[in-house]
Amino acid sequence: MRNLKLIISYDGTRYRGWQRLAGEPNTIQGKLESTLSRILEEPIEISGSGRTDAGAHAMRQVASFHCQNPMSCETLLQQLRTYLPEDIGVQSCQEAGLRFHARLNAVSKTYVYRVWNSEAPCVFERKYVYRMDASLDLNAMRQAASHFLGQHDFLSFCSNKKFKKSSVRTIHRLEIESVGPELRFTVEGDGFLYNMVRIIVGTLLEVGMGRKAPQEIPDILAAKNRELAGYTVPANGLILWEVAYQ
Amino acid sequence: MRNLKLIISYDGTRYRGWQRLAGEPNTIQGKLESTLSRILEEPIEISGSGRTDAGAHAMRQVASFHCQNPMSCETLLQQLRTYLPEDIGVQSCQEAGLRFHARLNAVSKTYVYRVWNSEAPCVFERKYVYRMDASLDLNAMRQAASHFLGQHDFLSFCSNKKFKKSSVRTIHRLEIESVGPELRFTVEGDGFLYNMVRIIVGTLLEVGMGRKAPQEIPDILAAKNRELAGYTVPANGLILWEVAYQ
């Protein structure tokens, strides 16, 4: 028995998200599992570091799986690159310790969210940015962003109303860079609730538009009420950037 | 009567090239003309600075057209951005002198050709690069590139066998930059024959692979024989970068 670790990039535009769904061939996990099972000639189930939403992307998603086939990592990598569609790219394939698990061992994740804040067209990267041309107060947004840092209960920033487990998470970094007409949000934390990054970005954009004040963020967090936070920005601007392990 | 000048970006992936074709709605020119005619409520014919191939792209293509409608440039720009598909973006719309003509007045054009020279996947920009992972001798390619500079008869670098007009052109600049795993060719000249940029790049890649020597270029030019030049690289790596006017 071996345990292998993959680092994968994908353009999520035409997929129903990461997670395998019964009867739905068009998921990233499903596509990887069926391709791996065919190449390795044994049924393969992979564990990703976490799910990504329908339409969201990944630069360096991590997945692990057990298999019996002794095929070298190099050959498997070549085969995967041959058989996977061009919107799923395997960056690397490595032997991992038998106890390594892509989700359970992840200690932090970084997401990037890209906003194209201009009336000008964004032809070439249109599938990877959320377009909105409202005028935004970047200072107010950065002030609001600072309130998210550290450990908080993020229930107000979770779309899943029936969430039963702990909704306490720690955000280590939340930066907003201005790159030409683009605003780029980088969020790093120990884990994220369902839609949490997209609701945080939507809330920061509402602050930027003057609909919310930066100092409201602590109250919104304290209220544990999804209704008080901002809107959920679209998935296509979201990219899982990287996953860190100990 | 007015004369308007448009600067246009497009992702050519799903189009049959720039030029309007009878019975083929899917060309950039055709899409622009039908959209302009609908907005301005009069039949519009546009002149581009030149044709681009099926599958090739443009960052700042220039087109001009005459019309009667007094609609302001600002309103027309907004309308175009509303009605054009998201893979065609109008960067600007300006009043031009009545005698301005996007093709006849162009004094030079710059094309960029992108080669993804790595086995690693290129997921997000896959539609804008030509992938080839052969090992390439960049010095030899740069040496070969220098032989193209200046005025030459480029008949050996033209796919159109029945070309009757002058095939003499001047290349002002031909640079090869190495950007991570990417090789980026920038070619600037006073005009280009059919497939000329793509055949020059294919020839330079053959030099890079050692199939041709840099010093063969002057002989290939002198022979005026397409058979002696290299292959035509695919259109999807080609982008019309900009057009200069006096």
mmCIF file of all heavy atoms in Angstrom, chain A residues 9-11 57-59 81 86-91 119-128 239, chain B residues 9-11 57-59 81 86-91 119-128 239:
data_model
loop_
_atom_site.group_PDB
_atom_site.id
_atom_site.type_symbol
_atom_site.label_atom_id
_atom_site.label_comp_id
_atom_site.label_asym_id
_atom_site.label_seq_id
_atom_site.Cartn_x
_atom_site.Cartn_y
_atom_site.Cartn_z
ATOM 1 N N SER A 9 -3.786 22.200 -10.241
ATOM 2 C CA SER A 9 -4.393 23.492 -10.627
ATOM 3 C C SER A 9 -5.660 23.188 -11.411
ATOM 4 O O SER A 9 -5.665 22.247 -12.204
ATOM 5 C CB SER A 9 -3.471 24.263 -11.587
ATOM 6 O OG SER A 9 -2.245 24.544 -10.997
ATOM 7 N N TYR A 10 -6.685 23.978 -11.232
ATOM 8 C CA TYR A 10 -7.822 23.828 -12.132
ATOM 9 C C TYR A 10 -8.585 25.113 -12.350
ATOM 10 O O TYR A 10 -8.635 25.982 -11.494
ATOM 11 C CB TYR A 10 -8.783 22.710 -11.686
ATOM 12 C CG TYR A 10 -9.213 22.693 -10.241
ATOM 13 C CD1 TYR A 10 -10.293 23.453 -9.801
ATOM 14 C CD2 TYR A 10 -8.552 21.883 -9.325
ATOM 15 C CE1 TYR A 10 -10.706 23.417 -8.479
ATOM 16 C CE2 TYR A 10 -8.952 21.849 -7.997
ATOM 17 C CZ TYR A 10 -10.023 22.615 -7.583
ATOM 18 O OH TYR A 10 -10.420 22.585 -6.262
ATOM 19 N N ASP A 11 -9.126 25.183 -13.545
ATOM 20 C CA ASP A 11 -10.047 26.245 -13.939
ATOM 21 C C ASP A 11 -11.426 25.643 -13.706
ATOM 22 O O ASP A 11 -11.858 24.735 -14.422
ATOM 23 C CB ASP A 11 -9.826 26.549 -15.430
ATOM 24 C CG ASP A 11 -10.881 27.477 -16.011
ATOM 25 O OD1 ASP A 11 -11.904 27.725 -15.351
ATOM 26 O OD2 ASP A 11 -10.684 27.932 -17.153
ATOM 27 N N HIS A 57 -11.845 28.210 -8.615
ATOM 28 C CA HIS A 57 -10.619 27.667 -9.205
ATOM 29 C C HIS A 57 -9.607 27.270 -8.118
ATOM 30 O O HIS A 57 -9.816 27.559 -6.944
ATOM 31 C CB HIS A 57 -9.994 28.718 -10.111
ATOM 32 C CG HIS A 57 -10.990 29.454 -10.937
ATOM 33 N ND1 HIS A 57 -11.651 28.859 -11.986
ATOM 34 C CD2 HIS A 57 -11.482 30.729 -10.848
ATOM 35 C CE1 HIS A 57 -12.490 29.747 -12.518
ATOM 36 N NE2 HIS A 57 -12.406 30.884 -11.851
ATOM 37 N N ALA A 58 -8.540 26.632 -8.545
ATOM 38 C CA ALA A 58 -7.453 26.337 -7.601
ATOM 39 C C ALA A 58 -6.113 26.462 -8.309
ATOM 40 O O ALA A 58 -5.966 26.030 -9.452
ATOM 41 C CB ALA A 58 -7.600 24.925 -7.026
ATOM 42 N N MET A 59 -5.160 27.066 -7.627
ATOM 43 C CA MET A 59 -3.798 27.150 -8.141
ATOM 44 C C MET A 59 -2.989 25.946 -7.670
ATOM 45 O O MET A 59 -2.291 25.331 -8.454
ATOM 46 C CB MET A 59 -3.158 28.454 -7.647
ATOM 47 C CG MET A 59 -1.825 28.780 -8.253
ATOM 48 S SD MET A 59 -1.908 28.957 -10.055
ATOM 49 C CE MET A 59 -2.325 30.697 -10.209
ATOM 50 N N ARG A 81 -1.181 13.831 -16.996
ATOM 51 C CA ARG A 81 -1.129 14.991 -17.899
ATOM 52 C C ARG A 81 -1.641 14.636 -19.287
ATOM 53 O O ARG A 81 -2.171 15.496 -20.003
ATOM 54 C CB ARG A 81 0.296 15.542 -17.969
ATOM 55 C CG ARG A 81 0.679 16.267 -16.682
ATOM 56 C CD ARG A 81 2.113 16.774 -16.700
ATOM 57 N NE ARG A 81 2.392 17.525 -15.486
ATOM 58 C CZ ARG A 81 3.601 17.968 -15.138
ATOM 59 N NH1 ARG A 81 4.654 17.712 -15.903
ATOM 60 N NH2 ARG A 81 3.760 18.658 -14.026
ATOM 61 N N GLU A 86 -7.674 19.745 -20.327
ATOM 62 C CA GLU A 86 -6.686 20.809 -20.190
ATOM 63 C C GLU A 86 -7.024 21.842 -19.122
ATOM 64 O O GLU A 86 -6.182 22.664 -18.784
ATOM 65 C CB GLU A 86 -6.450 21.494 -21.539
ATOM 66 C CG GLU A 86 -7.715 22.092 -22.121
ATOM 67 C CD GLU A 86 -7.479 22.884 -23.405
ATOM 68 O OE1 GLU A 86 -6.377 22.821 -23.972
ATOM 69 O OE2 GLU A 86 -8.419 23.583 -23.830
ATOM 70 N N ASP A 87 -8.231 21.758 -18.552
ATOM 71 C CA ASP A 87 -8.542 22.701 -17.469
ATOM 72 C C ASP A 87 -8.257 22.119 -16.084
ATOM 73 O O ASP A 87 -8.563 22.741 -15.060
ATOM 74 C CB ASP A 87 -9.982 23.246 -17.578
ATOM 75 C CG ASP A 87 -11.024 22.168 -17.742
ATOM 76 O OD1 ASP A 87 -10.681 20.975 -17.602
ATOM 77 O OD2 ASP A 87 -12.192 22.511 -18.013
ATOM 78 N N ILE A 88 -7.672 20.906 -16.048
ATOM 79 C CA ILE A 88 -7.178 20.337 -14.784
ATOM 80 C C ILE A 88 -5.719 19.958 -15.014
ATOM 81 O O ILE A 88 -5.418 19.131 -15.883
ATOM 82 C CB ILE A 88 -7.971 19.079 -14.355
ATOM 83 C CG1 ILE A 88 -9.466 19.415 -14.201
ATOM 84 C CG2 ILE A 88 -7.416 18.512 -13.060
ATOM 85 C CD1 ILE A 88 -10.321 18.213 -13.792
ATOM 86 N N GLY A 89 -4.825 20.572 -14.285
ATOM 87 C CA GLY A 89 -3.394 20.323 -14.500
ATOM 88 C C GLY A 89 -2.732 19.832 -13.227
ATOM 89 O O GLY A 89 -2.873 20.450 -12.178
ATOM 90 N N VAL A 90 -2.018 18.709 -13.315
ATOM 91 C CA VAL A 90 -1.328 18.201 -12.132
ATOM 92 C C VAL A 90 0.078 18.794 -12.098
ATOM 93 O O VAL A 90 0.868 18.597 -13.016
ATOM 94 C CB VAL A 90 -1.286 16.661 -12.125
ATOM 95 C CG1 VAL A 90 -0.567 16.159 -10.875
ATOM 96 C CG2 VAL A 90 -2.704 16.105 -12.168
ATOM 97 N N GLN A 91 0.369 19.550 -11.042
ATOM 98 C CA GLN A 91 1.680 20.196 -10.915
ATOM 99 C C GLN A 91 2.721 19.203 -10.428
ATOM 100 O O GLN A 91 3.868 19.248 -10.862
ATOM 101 C CB GLN A 91 1.612 21.375 -9.932
ATOM 102 C CG GLN A 91 0.630 22.471 -10.317
ATOM 103 C CD GLN A 91 1.099 23.301 -11.515
ATOM 104 O OE1 GLN A 91 2.202 23.134 -12.018
ATOM 105 N NE2 GLN A 91 0.239 24.182 -11.992
ATOM 106 N N GLU A 119 -14.799 49.891 -15.440
ATOM 107 C CA GLU A 119 -15.753 49.758 -16.539
ATOM 108 C C GLU A 119 -15.084 49.164 -17.769
ATOM 109 O O GLU A 119 -15.750 48.677 -18.683
ATOM 110 C CB GLU A 119 -16.277 51.140 -16.943
ATOM 111 C CG GLU A 119 -17.324 51.684 -16.022
ATOM 112 C CD GLU A 119 -17.827 53.034 -16.507
ATOM 113 O OE1 GLU A 119 -17.506 53.429 -17.647
ATOM 114 O OE2 GLU A 119 -18.543 53.686 -15.735
ATOM 115 N N ALA A 120 -13.754 49.244 -17.816
ATOM 116 C CA ALA A 120 -13.021 48.738 -18.975
ATOM 117 C C ALA A 120 -13.203 47.223 -19.070
ATOM 118 O O ALA A 120 -13.380 46.540 -18.062
ATOM 119 C CB ALA A 120 -11.543 49.079 -18.843
ATOM 120 N N PRO A 121 -13.193 46.699 -20.282
ATOM 121 C CA PRO A 121 -13.368 45.258 -20.417
ATOM 122 C C PRO A 121 -12.153 44.491 -19.889
ATOM 123 O O PRO A 121 -11.046 44.998 -19.865
ATOM 124 C CB PRO A 121 -13.510 45.065 -21.927
ATOM 125 C CG PRO A 121 -12.932 46.282 -22.557
ATOM 126 C CD PRO A 121 -13.065 47.393 -21.580
ATOM 127 N N CYS A 122 -12.417 43.277 -19.452
ATOM 128 C CA CYS A 122 -11.341 42.396 -18.985
ATOM 129 C C CYS A 122 -11.496 41.119 -19.793
ATOM 130 O O CYS A 122 -12.078 40.134 -19.351
ATOM 131 C CB CYS A 122 -11.517 42.110 -17.499
ATOM 132 S SG CYS A 122 -10.328 40.928 -16.868
ATOM 133 N N VAL A 123 -11.026 41.157 -21.022
ATOM 134 C CA VAL A 123 -11.324 40.086 -21.969
ATOM 135 C C VAL A 123 -10.612 38.777 -21.621
ATOM 136 O O VAL A 123 -11.230 37.712 -21.579
ATOM 137 C CB VAL A 123 -10.955 40.541 -23.399
ATOM 138 C CG1 VAL A 123 -10.896 39.361 -24.357
ATOM 139 C CG2 VAL A 123 -11.943 41.585 -23.893
ATOM 140 N N PHE A 124 -9.332 38.854 -21.341
ATOM 141 C CA PHE A 124 -8.547 37.616 -21.260
ATOM 142 C C PHE A 124 -8.659 36.882 -19.928
ATOM 143 O O PHE A 124 -8.480 35.679 -19.872
ATOM 144 C CB PHE A 124 -7.090 37.897 -21.627
ATOM 145 C CG PHE A 124 -6.961 38.420 -23.024
ATOM 146 C CD1 PHE A 124 -6.786 39.765 -23.273
ATOM 147 C CD2 PHE A 124 -7.108 37.561 -24.095
ATOM 148 C CE1 PHE A 124 -6.722 40.259 -24.576
ATOM 149 C CE2 PHE A 124 -7.047 38.027 -25.399
ATOM 150 C CZ PHE A 124 -6.860 39.384 -25.641
ATOM 151 N N GLU A 125 -8.951 37.621 -18.859
ATOM 152 C CA GLU A 125 -9.050 36.963 -17.558
ATOM 153 C C GLU A 125 -10.476 36.999 -17.049
ATOM 154 O O GLU A 125 -10.722 36.855 -15.856
ATOM 155 C CB GLU A 125 -8.096 37.646 -16.585
ATOM 156 C CG GLU A 125 -6.689 37.726 -17.175
ATOM 157 C CD GLU A 125 -5.631 37.724 -16.115
ATOM 158 O OE1 GLU A 125 -5.482 36.667 -15.448
ATOM 159 O OE2 GLU A 125 -4.980 38.756 -15.951
ATOM 160 N N ARG A 126 -11.419 37.173 -17.967
ATOM 161 C CA ARG A 126 -12.800 37.377 -17.569
ATOM 162 C C ARG A 126 -13.370 36.233 -16.740
ATOM 163 O O ARG A 126 -14.284 36.440 -15.944
ATOM 164 C CB ARG A 126 -13.680 37.608 -18.795
ATOM 165 C CG ARG A 126 -13.751 36.407 -19.728
ATOM 166 C CD ARG A 126 -14.432 36.750 -21.037
ATOM 167 N NE ARG A 126 -14.613 35.572 -21.866
ATOM 168 C CZ ARG A 126 -13.676 35.054 -22.658
ATOM 169 N NH1 ARG A 126 -12.476 35.608 -22.744
ATOM 170 N NH2 ARG A 126 -13.929 33.967 -23.370
ATOM 171 N N LYS A 127 -12.833 35.016 -16.915
ATOM 172 C CA LYS A 127 -13.404 33.885 -16.174
ATOM 173 C C LYS A 127 -12.848 33.773 -14.766
ATOM 174 O O LYS A 127 -13.293 32.922 -13.999
ATOM 175 C CB LYS A 127 -13.148 32.593 -16.947
ATOM 176 C CG LYS A 127 -13.920 32.628 -18.259
ATOM 177 C CD LYS A 127 -13.938 31.353 -18.994
ATOM 178 C CE LYS A 127 -14.948 31.469 -20.130
ATOM 179 N NZ LYS A 127 -14.635 30.553 -21.225
ATOM 180 N N TYR A 128 -11.875 34.606 -14.432
ATOM 181 C CA TYR A 128 -11.206 34.490 -13.130
ATOM 182 C C TYR A 128 -11.381 35.725 -12.261
ATOM 183 O O TYR A 128 -10.728 35.841 -11.232
ATOM 184 C CB TYR A 128 -9.708 34.203 -13.352
ATOM 185 C CG TYR A 128 -9.449 33.161 -14.410
ATOM 186 C CD1 TYR A 128 -8.629 33.411 -15.505
ATOM 187 C CD2 TYR A 128 -10.060 31.912 -14.311
ATOM 188 C CE1 TYR A 128 -8.415 32.447 -16.485
ATOM 189 C CE2 TYR A 128 -9.859 30.947 -15.282
ATOM 190 C CZ TYR A 128 -9.041 31.221 -16.371
ATOM 191 O OH TYR A 128 -8.839 30.276 -17.329
ATOM 192 N N ILE A 239 -10.142 31.751 -5.943
ATOM 193 C CA ILE A 239 -9.156 30.730 -6.271
ATOM 194 C C ILE A 239 -8.468 30.256 -4.994
ATOM 195 O O ILE A 239 -7.981 31.064 -4.205
ATOM 196 C CB ILE A 239 -8.170 31.250 -7.349
ATOM 197 C CG1 ILE A 239 -7.089 30.236 -7.676
ATOM 198 C CG2 ILE A 239 -7.522 32.570 -6.963
ATOM 199 C CD1 ILE A 239 -6.391 30.512 -8.996
ATOM 200 N N SER B 9 -10.127 44.798 -27.743
ATOM 201 C CA SER B 9 -9.450 43.564 -27.308
ATOM 202 C C SER B 9 -10.364 42.401 -27.632
ATOM 203 O O SER B 9 -11.578 42.511 -27.451
ATOM 204 C CB SER B 9 -9.254 43.546 -25.782
ATOM 205 O OG SER B 9 -8.492 44.626 -25.344
ATOM 206 N N TYR B 10 -9.798 41.300 -28.059
ATOM 207 C CA TYR B 10 -10.640 40.113 -28.170
ATOM 208 C C TYR B 10 -9.878 38.815 -27.952
ATOM 209 O O TYR B 10 -8.696 38.718 -28.229
ATOM 210 C CB TYR B 10 -11.414 40.054 -29.491
ATOM 211 C CG TYR B 10 -10.633 40.302 -30.755
ATOM 212 C CD1 TYR B 10 -9.921 39.276 -31.389
ATOM 213 C CD2 TYR B 10 -10.625 41.566 -31.344
ATOM 214 C CE1 TYR B 10 -9.236 39.507 -32.564
ATOM 215 C CE2 TYR B 10 -9.931 41.805 -32.520
ATOM 216 C CZ TYR B 10 -9.231 40.769 -33.129
ATOM 217 O OH TYR B 10 -8.542 41.000 -34.286
ATOM 218 N N ASP B 11 -10.624 37.876 -27.411
ATOM 219 C CA ASP B 11 -10.158 36.504 -27.254
ATOM 220 C C ASP B 11 -10.702 35.787 -28.486
ATOM 221 O O ASP B 11 -11.916 35.581 -28.608
ATOM 222 C CB ASP B 11 -10.770 35.934 -25.971
ATOM 223 C CG ASP B 11 -10.555 34.437 -25.812
ATOM 224 O OD1 ASP B 11 -10.106 33.778 -26.767
ATOM 225 O OD2 ASP B 11 -10.864 33.925 -24.721
ATOM 226 N N HIS B 57 -5.717 36.321 -31.229
ATOM 227 C CA HIS B 57 -6.302 37.290 -30.323
ATOM 228 C C HIS B 57 -5.816 38.710 -30.622
ATOM 229 O O HIS B 57 -4.906 38.885 -31.425
ATOM 230 C CB HIS B 57 -5.930 36.921 -28.883
ATOM 231 C CG HIS B 57 -5.997 35.470 -28.601
ATOM 232 N ND1 HIS B 57 -7.196 34.800 -28.504
ATOM 233 C CD2 HIS B 57 -5.023 34.529 -28.456
ATOM 234 C CE1 HIS B 57 -6.946 33.514 -28.272
ATOM 235 N NE2 HIS B 57 -5.635 33.326 -28.242
ATOM 236 N N ALA B 58 -6.397 39.684 -29.947
ATOM 237 C CA ALA B 58 -5.898 41.054 -30.067
ATOM 238 C C ALA B 58 -6.004 41.769 -28.734
ATOM 239 O O ALA B 58 -6.999 41.621 -28.014
ATOM 240 C CB ALA B 58 -6.683 41.835 -31.115
ATOM 241 N N MET B 59 -4.961 42.505 -28.390
ATOM 242 C CA MET B 59 -4.982 43.337 -27.185
ATOM 243 C C MET B 59 -5.513 44.721 -27.526
ATOM 244 O O MET B 59 -6.362 45.247 -26.823
ATOM 245 C CB MET B 59 -3.559 43.441 -26.629
ATOM 246 C CG MET B 59 -3.465 44.078 -25.268
ATOM 247 S SD MET B 59 -4.392 43.199 -23.997
ATOM 248 C CE MET B 59 -3.191 41.985 -23.456
ATOM 249 N N ARG B 81 -20.316 48.020 -24.854
ATOM 250 C CA ARG B 81 -19.936 47.159 -23.722
ATOM 251 C C ARG B 81 -21.123 46.359 -23.208
ATOM 252 O O ARG B 81 -20.964 45.267 -22.680
ATOM 253 C CB ARG B 81 -19.322 48.011 -22.605
ATOM 254 C CG ARG B 81 -17.922 48.485 -22.978
ATOM 255 C CD ARG B 81 -17.314 49.369 -21.907
ATOM 256 N NE ARG B 81 -15.948 49.722 -22.266
ATOM 257 C CZ ARG B 81 -15.205 50.627 -21.619
ATOM 258 N NH1 ARG B 81 -15.687 51.244 -20.570
ATOM 259 N NH2 ARG B 81 -13.977 50.873 -22.023
ATOM 260 N N GLU B 86 -18.698 38.808 -24.040
ATOM 261 C CA GLU B 86 -17.628 39.160 -23.101
ATOM 262 C C GLU B 86 -16.234 38.843 -23.638
ATOM 263 O O GLU B 86 -15.240 39.246 -23.051
ATOM 264 C CB GLU B 86 -17.860 38.486 -21.748
ATOM 265 C CG GLU B 86 -17.913 36.970 -21.855
ATOM 266 C CD GLU B 86 -18.008 36.264 -20.507
ATOM 267 O OE1 GLU B 86 -18.238 36.930 -19.480
ATOM 268 O OE2 GLU B 86 -17.828 35.032 -20.482
ATOM 269 N N ASP B 87 -16.141 38.151 -24.786
ATOM 270 C CA ASP B 87 -14.814 37.902 -25.352
ATOM 271 C C ASP B 87 -14.402 38.964 -26.378
ATOM 272 O O ASP B 87 -13.353 38.839 -27.016
ATOM 273 C CB ASP B 87 -14.676 36.474 -25.914
ATOM 274 C CG ASP B 87 -15.789 36.077 -26.840
ATOM 275 O OD1 ASP B 87 -16.597 36.958 -27.216
ATOM 276 O OD2 ASP B 87 -15.863 34.885 -27.200
ATOM 277 N N ILE B 88 -15.236 39.997 -26.535
ATOM 278 C CA ILE B 88 -14.861 41.160 -27.345
ATOM 279 C C ILE B 88 -15.063 42.397 -26.465
ATOM 280 O O ILE B 88 -16.182 42.651 -26.020
ATOM 281 C CB ILE B 88 -15.729 41.295 -28.616
ATOM 282 C CG1 ILE B 88 -15.626 40.028 -29.485
ATOM 283 C CG2 ILE B 88 -15.302 42.527 -29.423
ATOM 284 C CD1 ILE B 88 -16.455 40.089 -30.769
ATOM 285 N N GLY B 89 -13.998 43.125 -26.197
ATOM 286 C CA GLY B 89 -14.101 44.276 -25.290
ATOM 287 C C GLY B 89 -13.620 45.538 -25.984
ATOM 288 O O GLY B 89 -12.527 45.563 -26.538
ATOM 289 N N VAL B 90 -14.437 46.573 -25.947
ATOM 290 C CA VAL B 90 -14.019 47.832 -26.559
ATOM 291 C C VAL B 90 -13.309 48.681 -25.503
ATOM 292 O O VAL B 90 -13.881 49.013 -24.468
ATOM 293 C CB VAL B 90 -15.217 48.585 -27.162
ATOM 294 C CG1 VAL B 90 -14.750 49.896 -27.805
ATOM 295 C CG2 VAL B 90 -15.902 47.716 -28.205
ATOM 296 N N GLN B 91 -12.045 48.980 -25.766
ATOM 297 C CA GLN B 91 -11.251 49.767 -24.811
ATOM 298 C C GLN B 91 -11.578 51.246 -24.931
ATOM 299 O O GLN B 91 -11.614 51.951 -23.934
ATOM 300 C CB GLN B 91 -9.740 49.559 -25.066
ATOM 301 C CG GLN B 91 -9.268 48.113 -24.930
ATOM 302 C CD GLN B 91 -9.255 47.631 -23.486
ATOM 303 O OE1 GLN B 91 -9.498 48.381 -22.567
ATOM 304 N NE2 GLN B 91 -8.980 46.336 -23.307
ATOM 305 N N GLU B 119 6.802 21.136 -19.498
ATOM 306 C CA GLU B 119 5.889 19.993 -19.355
ATOM 307 C C GLU B 119 4.803 20.313 -18.342
ATOM 308 O O GLU B 119 3.765 19.652 -18.295
ATOM 309 C CB GLU B 119 6.654 18.782 -18.832
ATOM 310 C CG GLU B 119 7.484 18.088 -19.869
ATOM 311 C CD GLU B 119 8.168 16.864 -19.268
ATOM 312 O OE1 GLU B 119 7.852 16.474 -18.122
ATOM 313 O OE2 GLU B 119 9.027 16.293 -19.967
ATOM 314 N N ALA B 120 5.064 21.303 -17.490
ATOM 315 C CA ALA B 120 4.093 21.646 -16.450
ATOM 316 C C ALA B 120 2.814 22.167 -17.100
ATOM 317 O O ALA B 120 2.852 22.754 -18.176
ATOM 318 C CB ALA B 120 4.677 22.703 -15.524
ATOM 319 N N PRO B 121 1.685 21.928 -16.452
ATOM 320 C CA PRO B 121 0.441 22.408 -17.046
ATOM 321 C C PRO B 121 0.341 23.935 -17.004
ATOM 322 O O PRO B 121 0.916 24.573 -16.144
ATOM 323 C CB PRO B 121 -0.640 21.772 -16.171
ATOM 324 C CG PRO B 121 0.026 21.411 -14.891
ATOM 325 C CD PRO B 121 1.470 21.178 -15.203
ATOM 326 N N CYS B 122 -0.392 24.475 -17.951
ATOM 327 C CA CYS B 122 -0.642 25.921 -17.996
ATOM 328 C C CYS B 122 -2.153 26.066 -18.044
ATOM 329 O O CYS B 122 -2.749 26.227 -19.102
ATOM 330 C CB CYS B 122 -0.008 26.512 -19.257
ATOM 331 S SG CYS B 122 -0.380 28.263 -19.470
ATOM 332 N N VAL B 123 -2.790 25.913 -16.896
ATOM 333 C CA VAL B 123 -4.245 25.795 -16.857
ATOM 334 C C VAL B 123 -4.955 27.098 -17.203
ATOM 335 O O VAL B 123 -5.863 27.127 -18.036
ATOM 336 C CB VAL B 123 -4.686 25.294 -15.464
ATOM 337 C CG1 VAL B 123 -6.186 25.475 -15.255
ATOM 338 C CG2 VAL B 123 -4.306 23.828 -15.294
ATOM 339 N N PHE B 124 -4.535 28.193 -16.596
ATOM 340 C CA PHE B 124 -5.339 29.420 -16.689
ATOM 341 C C PHE B 124 -5.132 30.206 -17.976
ATOM 342 O O PHE B 124 -6.019 30.914 -18.418
ATOM 343 C CB PHE B 124 -5.100 30.293 -15.458
ATOM 344 C CG PHE B 124 -5.501 29.579 -14.204
ATOM 345 C CD1 PHE B 124 -4.544 29.009 -13.372
ATOM 346 C CD2 PHE B 124 -6.835 29.422 -13.891
ATOM 347 C CE1 PHE B 124 -4.920 28.305 -12.235
ATOM 348 C CE2 PHE B 124 -7.228 28.725 -12.757
ATOM 349 C CZ PHE B 124 -6.263 28.159 -11.927
ATOM 350 N N GLU B 125 -3.962 30.069 -18.594
ATOM 351 C CA GLU B 125 -3.718 30.819 -19.822
ATOM 352 C C GLU B 125 -3.619 29.884 -21.016
ATOM 353 O O GLU B 125 -3.073 30.236 -22.053
ATOM 354 C CB GLU B 125 -2.434 31.635 -19.667
ATOM 355 C CG GLU B 125 -2.486 32.459 -18.388
ATOM 356 C CD GLU B 125 -1.713 33.739 -18.494
ATOM 357 O OE1 GLU B 125 -2.108 34.593 -19.316
ATOM 358 O OE2 GLU B 125 -0.707 33.851 -17.791
ATOM 359 N N ARG B 126 -4.168 28.696 -20.872
ATOM 360 C CA ARG B 126 -4.001 27.674 -21.898
ATOM 361 C C ARG B 126 -4.495 28.102 -23.275
ATOM 362 O O ARG B 126 -4.000 27.611 -24.286
ATOM 363 C CB ARG B 126 -4.697 26.371 -21.470
ATOM 364 C CG ARG B 126 -6.203 26.513 -21.359
ATOM 365 C CD ARG B 126 -6.822 25.295 -20.695
ATOM 366 N NE ARG B 126 -8.278 25.370 -20.702
ATOM 367 C CZ ARG B 126 -8.993 26.025 -19.792
ATOM 368 N NH1 ARG B 126 -8.407 26.649 -18.800
ATOM 369 N NH2 ARG B 126 -10.314 26.042 -19.872
ATOM 370 N N LYS B 127 -5.462 29.011 -23.309
ATOM 371 C CA LYS B 127 -6.014 29.405 -24.609
ATOM 372 C C LYS B 127 -5.179 30.459 -25.307
ATOM 373 O O LYS B 127 -5.459 30.809 -26.444
ATOM 374 C CB LYS B 127 -7.450 29.899 -24.428
ATOM 375 C CG LYS B 127 -8.320 28.722 -23.995
ATOM 376 C CD LYS B 127 -9.774 29.008 -23.979
ATOM 377 C CE LYS B 127 -10.519 27.695 -23.727
ATOM 378 N NZ LYS B 127 -11.843 27.916 -23.161
ATOM 379 N N TYR B 128 -4.164 30.970 -24.627
ATOM 380 C CA TYR B 128 -3.377 32.076 -25.180
ATOM 381 C C TYR B 128 -1.910 31.707 -25.389
ATOM 382 O O TYR B 128 -1.099 32.577 -25.685
ATOM 383 C CB TYR B 128 -3.477 33.304 -24.253
ATOM 384 C CG TYR B 128 -4.885 33.569 -23.770
ATOM 385 C CD1 TYR B 128 -5.190 33.660 -22.430
ATOM 386 C CD2 TYR B 128 -5.919 33.703 -24.696
ATOM 387 C CE1 TYR B 128 -6.497 33.883 -21.994
ATOM 388 C CE2 TYR B 128 -7.236 33.919 -24.272
ATOM 389 C CZ TYR B 128 -7.508 34.004 -22.921
ATOM 390 O OH TYR B 128 -8.798 34.216 -22.506
ATOM 391 N N ILE B 239 -1.075 37.086 -30.646
ATOM 392 C CA ILE B 239 -1.912 38.217 -30.242
ATOM 393 C C ILE B 239 -1.411 39.493 -30.914
ATOM 394 O O ILE B 239 -0.231 39.808 -30.849
ATOM 395 C CB ILE B 239 -1.982 38.304 -28.705
ATOM 396 C CG1 ILE B 239 -2.815 39.509 -28.229
ATOM 397 C CG2 ILE B 239 -0.627 38.353 -28.049
ATOM 398 C CD1 ILE B 239 -3.279 39.374 -26.795
#
